[in-house]
Amino acid sequence: MIEPQSYEAIYDFGNLYKAYKAAIRGKRWKNTVAKVDANALEAITILQAELREGLYTPGGYHEFLVFEPKKRLIQTNSIKDKIVQHSFCDQILYQALTRPFILDNYGSQVGKGTFYGLDRLRDFMRDFYRKNGSADGWVLKADIHHYFANIRHDILKEDVAQYLADPRSRALSDAIIDSTPGNDGIPIGNQSSQLYALLYLNKLDHLVKEGLRIKYYGRYMDDFYLIHKDKAVLQEARRVIEEHLTARGLELNGKTQIFPLRNGLDFLGFHTYLDDNGKVIRKLRRASKERMKRKLRKYKVMYENGAITREEIEASFQSWRAHASHGNCHDLVAKYEAIFNTIFERSDEESGPENQ
């Protein structure tokens, strides 16, 4: 019987097959995936032997740029490497690396995520107002300059080694980390990279919460904030944080600043602020509104030209609508629904009432 959290669990055939199914989901149309899919059992058997005998080595990466919400280099690996990472993350890495995380580390974890982080910020603001009687406080809002590109392999491997007891698991993790050249940077497209990136700032989390004793602190990947009634406390916190990050090869980006809590703060796609009565108000950020407006204009042209289906447009819009519904955005959603409905007007008119 395979012990859970053991290295053997990674190459257990059943676990590898589940990882394979997860890795190809939504990708069967790709030629590279189709080749593996045609000989799936044989491919998994070979991969199982490589992992068991310690012969597996990660392959290279395909690189491309994405421009939403900002320009980023994405490095994606082969279907074989995706299968290994799915199994490794599901069987060992997730449980091992998330164990030391604080509550207010929100990214890429079961039961957490964007709206969990937004609700924690709301609760922090409410608690601040109750204890201080006003919104007269300060915010240190920060993120890391080119975070994924500057994560150091040597430091990351030391961090990971603290939580992986089996040397074979450590060796596999090291091989994945070192699958890109040099000592800096991990691929954004890797499943493991999400966990590694969460772990790399774990010591910062504990420094802020336990060393600096900042109660109102939250982080989503490399985007984080501190709230305190005393500006001088946050100025000293910034100095300590910068010193800590420098030792780990990182630096805060130029947008990092300390500003009045009354101004509200941008976090996880929303601008959240306190009014004079202590009510927390959450508005969708302008960038998100403009992005959906551009998409709807583009969808209208694409739909008229037959380049996109109604179902695809509806899925995209409903996803945005669900996101916006977590803010105080009723009028905005209604306005965009009207724009959304105009996309299909010509088609509905041409079909006629007898076909509707």
Side-chain angles (χ1 to χ4, degrees), residues 284-299:
L284 203 63
R285 290 181 63 184
R286 178 175 296 179
S288 178
K289 292 187 286 187
E290 291 301 318
R291 191 156 54 243
M292 179 47 63
K293 185 184 289 186
R294 289 196 303 270
K295 280 186 177 181
L296 289 173
R297 289 171 180 161
K298 181 176 71 173
Y299 288 159

Side-chain angles (χ1 to χ4, degrees), residues 96-320:
L97 299 192
T98 59
R99 192 167 63 246
F101 290 176
I102 66 169
L103 180 64
D104 289 296
N105 175 349
Y106 309 128
S108 301
Q109 296 166 73
V110 176
K112 292 189 178 179
T114 299
F115 302 121
Y116 181 90
L118 285 167
D119 287 346
R120 287 289 289 175
L121 173 58
R122 176 201 62 201
D123 294 344
F124 283 160
M125 285 185 162
R126 287 174 176 171
D127 191 60
F128 183 94
Y129 189 91
R130 281 196 299 268
K131 289 183 175 178
N132 295 281
S134 73
D136 294 328
W138 297 87
V139 179
L140 167 57
K141 181 66 172 57
D143 61 18
I144 309 296
H145 176 70
H146 293 166
Y147 180 47
F148 279 75
N150 287 305
I151 291 176
R152 280 178 46 177
H153 293 190
D154 55 343
I155 295 176
L156 176 59
K157 287 187 287 189
E158 289 177 2
D159 289 349
V160 172
Q162 296 178 53
Y163 304 105
L164 296 181
D166 192 315
R168 295 170 297 175
S169 295
R170 292 198 298 271
L172 177 57
S173 179
D174 288 353
I176 292 171
I177 292 169
D178 287 334
S179 62
T180 50
N183 189 46
D184 299 309
I186 59 174
I188 293 177
N190 275 5
Q191 183 181 357
S192 59
S193 292
Q194 303 304 307
L195 292 171
Y196 290 145
L198 290 174
L199 177 70
Y200 201 72
L201 290 179
N202 176 61
K203 290 183 178 178
L204 171 67
D205 296 340
H206 288 277
L207 172 65
V208 172
K209 295 290 280 189
E210 298 154 17
L212 298 175
R213 303 186 69 80
I214 302 293
K215 180 178 181 181
Y216 306 125
Y217 166 79
R219 174 171 73 89
Y220 191 99
M221 206 56 75
D222 64 317
D223 187 12
F224 61 94
Y225 65 84
L226 293 72
I227 299 173
H228 199 276
K229 64 180 180 180
D230 190 338
K231 184 178 183 180
V233 169
L234 293 185
Q235 290 171 328
E236 173 62 12
R238 177 172 181 168
R239 185 194 67 78
V240 173
I241 288 169
E242 287 179 332
E243 186 177 271
H244 172 82
L245 293 175
T246 298
R248 297 177 69 82
L250 303 173
E251 62 179 348
L252 298 176
N253 73 13
K255 294 183 291 185
T256 297
Q257 58 180 316
I258 297 172
F259 52 84
L261 177 59
R262 285 186 176 277
N263 293 1
L265 66 145
D266 291 341
F267 188 61
L268 299 176
F270 287 86
H271 183 76
T272 305
Y273 62 96
L274 274 165
D275 70 10
D276 288 333
N277 297 314
K279 181 180 179 181
V280 178
I281 299 170
R282 187 187 294 161
K283 295 287 189 180
L284 203 63
R285 290 181 63 184
R286 178 175 296 179
S288 178
K289 292 187 286 187
E290 291 301 318
R291 191 156 54 243
M292 179 47 63
K293 185 184 289 186
R294 289 196 303 270
K295 280 186 177 181
L296 289 173
R297 289 171 180 161
K298 181 176 71 173
Y299 288 159
K300 186 175 181 65
V301 175
M302 291 174 69
Y303 184 69
E304 290 173 353
N305 294 333
I308 192 171
T309 67
R310 182 174 188 142
E311 290 73 20
E312 288 171 323
I313 298 173
E314 287 177 342
S316 175
F317 181 73
Q318 292 307 324
S319 176
W320 175 87

Side-chain angles (χ1 to χ4, degrees), residues 29-46:
W29 56 273
K30 294 184 177 181
N31 289 334
T32 53
V33 175
K35 290 177 182 177
V36 176
D37 204 23
N39 303 283
L41 298 183
E42 180 183 0
I44 293 170
T45 300
I46 293 171

